[in-house]
């Protein structure tokens, strides 16, 4: 949904999924991705940090964290997150 610009509906669906299963790292990552798409990088970091806490080996979460940090002009931290994503197999 959020890829179609339906952010409010997307966030509601993701919030419901997290209510049902708050340990679902992929959902936390998707919510962070949705915030990144809206240029709400501080909000994205909250969700991405939780995803990484739940699954520190989740390359997509590290990559999205890289994008959020880059969007906040935190280059050194963004570079570390990108290196971690690549170390974990992210090929993008």
């Amino acid at each position: 949904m959020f890829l179609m610009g339906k952010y409010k509906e997307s966030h509601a669906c993701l919030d419901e999924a997290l209510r049902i299963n708050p340990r679902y790292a992929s959902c936390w990552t998707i919510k962070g991705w949705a915030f990144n798409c809206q240029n709400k990088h501080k909000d994205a970091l909250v969700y991405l940090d939780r995803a990484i806490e739940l699954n520190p080996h989740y390359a997509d979460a590290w990559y999205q964290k890289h994008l959020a940090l880059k969007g906040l002009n935190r280059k050194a931290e963004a570079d570390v997150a990108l290196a971690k994503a690549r170390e974990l197999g992210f090929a993008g």
Side-chain angles (χ1 to χ4, degrees):
M1 271 191 235
F2 74 88
L3 292 177
M4 298 183 314
K6 297 182 178 183
Y7 298 113
K8 185 176 181 180
E9 296 91 340
S10 299
H11 286 295
C13 288
L14 293 166
D15 288 341
E16 179 64 11
L18 289 172
R19 186 191 66 73
I20 294 167
N21 184 358
R23 300 198 51 79
Y24 189 35
S26 293
C27 193
W28 287 92
T29 301
I30 294 167
K31 182 101 174 173
W33 181 20
F35 278 122
N36 271 341
C37 288
Q38 295 175 272
N39 292 317
K40 295 181 176 182
H41 304 297
K42 280 187 177 183
D43 293 325
L45 281 178
V46 171
Y47 289 88
L48 298 167
D49 284 341
R50 179 66 177 140
I52 291 166
E53 179 183 317
L54 291 168
N55 182 357
H57 303 288
Y58 191 23
D60 289 341
W62 282 101
Y63 181 72
Q64 285 298 318
K65 182 172 182 170
H66 151 76
L67 294 177
L69 291 165
K70 186 176 171 185
L72 294 169
N73 295 316
R74 292 165 55 180
K75 184 178 178 353
E77 293 170 272
D79 290 345
V80 169
L82 180 57
K84 184 67 175 178
R86 288 182 175 155
E87 173 188 319
L88 294 170
F90 186 82

